[in-house]
């Protein structure tokens, strides 16, 4: 990298009190849902030869279809050999669709924040463990899940913890959700390497849409 912004990044990374001296400098694409502005901006930041590129200003209230359309229009103008980051996204389905459009990584509060509200993600959709139908349900959140919650606790017990406002209930839901998201990202990497990402994505979306068991 060379240029004014790169020089400033190098200066900041070299400061004695900089904790992480290997920070990367990303260009962040903006332009709301206007593809002409998005594309012009993508070209401008791509020319700056930065460490990576993010798509910002999405997942802020527009429809999923609008977000996917802007990704379709914009990502092709970002450098393929650099990491592409979709900021603040999203549901498992959003991530699967983002990867299909060239996105490499994501950040989102859903697995943790939704977990704290008793909402858990599974391969058969999202469940709300506050729901009364889980009161006597002694299955784990997801059969076969190897997370610390599913290996030892039932839906009924976790629901009881949540209803009693016992902090362990939130923690178990968050543990499961983080495990679910991390496992999905592993599966995505494996499917891409095996050249079967489209099939994987279709199967995963179909299972999640089928609803809980
Ligand atoms: Zn689990």
């Amino acid at each position: 990298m060379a240029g004014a912004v790169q020089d400033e990044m190098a200066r900041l990374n070299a400061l004695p009190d900089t904790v992480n001296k290997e920070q990367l400098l990303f260009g962040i694409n903006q332009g709301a849902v206007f593809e002409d502005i998005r594309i012009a901006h993508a070209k401008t930041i791509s020319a700056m030869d930065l460490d990576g590129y993010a798509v910002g200003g999405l997942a802020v209230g527009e429809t999923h279809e609008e977000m996917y359309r802007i990704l379709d229009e914009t990502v092709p103008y970002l450098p393929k050999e650099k990491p592409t980051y979709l900021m603040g996204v999203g549901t498992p389905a959003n991530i699967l669709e983002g990867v299909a459009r060239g996105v490499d990584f994501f950040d989102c509060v859903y697995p943790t924040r939704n977990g704290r509200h008793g909402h858990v993600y599974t391969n058969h959709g999202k469940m709300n463990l506050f729901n009364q139908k889980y009161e006597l349900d002694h299955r784990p959140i997801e059969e076969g899940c190897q997370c610390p919650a599913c290996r030892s606790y039932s839906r009924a017990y976790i629901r009881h913890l949540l209803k009693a406002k016992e902090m362990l209930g939130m923690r178990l839901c968050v543990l499961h959700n983080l495990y679910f998201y991390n496992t999905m990202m592993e599966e995505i990497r494996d499917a891409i390497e095996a050249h079967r990402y489209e099939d994987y994505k279709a199967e995963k979306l179909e299972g999640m849409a089928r609803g809980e068991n």
Side-chain angles (χ1 to χ4, degrees):
M1 292 203 307
V5 290
Q6 284 88 353
D7 290 347
E8 176 62 7
M9 194 71 209
R11 187 187 71 79
L12 292 170
N13 276 340
L15 292 176
D17 58 347
T18 296
V19 176
N20 175 5
K21 296 181 190 300
E22 294 178 11
Q23 294 179 100
L24 300 178
L25 185 62
F26 274 48
I28 301 183
N29 177 255
Q30 294 289 352
V33 290
F34 306 108
E35 60 264 40
D36 54 338
I37 301 174
R38 287 272 178 190
I39 291 169
H41 186 240
K43 289 177 179 171
T44 302
I45 58 178
S46 294
M48 295 169 78
D49 189 26
L50 300 166
D51 296 314
Y53 290 89
V55 180
L58 289 177
V60 290
E62 80 286 357
T63 64
H64 290 167
E65 286 64 35
E66 279 180 307
M67 176 168 80
Y68 300 151
R69 179 177 61 80
I70 289 300
L71 291 175
D72 280 333
E73 299 283 351
T74 310
V75 176
Y77 292 93
L78 298 174
K80 279 192 178 46
E81 72 282 7
K82 300 282 180 69
T84 303
Y85 162 33
L86 179 54
M87 306 179 84
V89 171
T91 66
N94 291 157
I95 290 177
L96 292 164
E97 296 294 351
V99 169
R101 288 161 174 81
V103 177
D104 301 302
F105 64 99
F106 305 84
D107 77 289
C108 188
V109 299
Y110 283 170
T112 46
R113 190 180 65 195
N114 287 341
R116 292 195 301 274
H117 288 98
H119 292 209
V120 287
Y121 293 91
T122 75
N123 285 303
H124 47 267
K126 199 167 75 167
M127 300 159 60
N128 178 358
L129 287 181
F130 275 99
N131 200 310
Q132 190 167 10
K133 66 182 171 181
Y134 301 120
E135 191 175 15
L136 298 173
D137 190 335
H138 294 288
R139 291 172 295 175
I141 294 169
E142 175 141 54
E143 305 275 3
C145 176
Q146 292 301 307
C147 87
C150 292
R151 274 184 294 152
S152 301
Y153 304 100
S154 67
R155 298 172 181 181
Y157 179 61
I158 297 170
R159 179 179 182 278
H160 157 73
L161 294 173
L162 291 167
K163 295 287 284 183
K165 298 188 166 54
E166 164 56 54
M167 188 59 74
L168 180 61
M170 294 187 191
R171 293 186 64 186
L172 291 173
C173 291
V174 169
L175 279 171
H176 169 82
N177 280 349
L178 291 175
Y179 191 95
F180 177 84
Y181 268 69
N182 280 329
T183 303
M184 187 179 80
M185 298 314 289
E186 261 176 41
E187 292 169 356
I188 287 172
R189 289 191 291 273
D190 290 346
I192 290 171
E193 281 187 12
H195 305 288
R196 56 176 304 274
Y197 182 70
E198 281 305 316
D199 289 344
Y200 165 77
K201 180 186 129 197
E203 289 160 17
K204 194 87 171 171
L205 288 173
E206 196 188 300
M208 291 190 295
R210 208 179 299 139
E212 61 170 284
N213 56 15

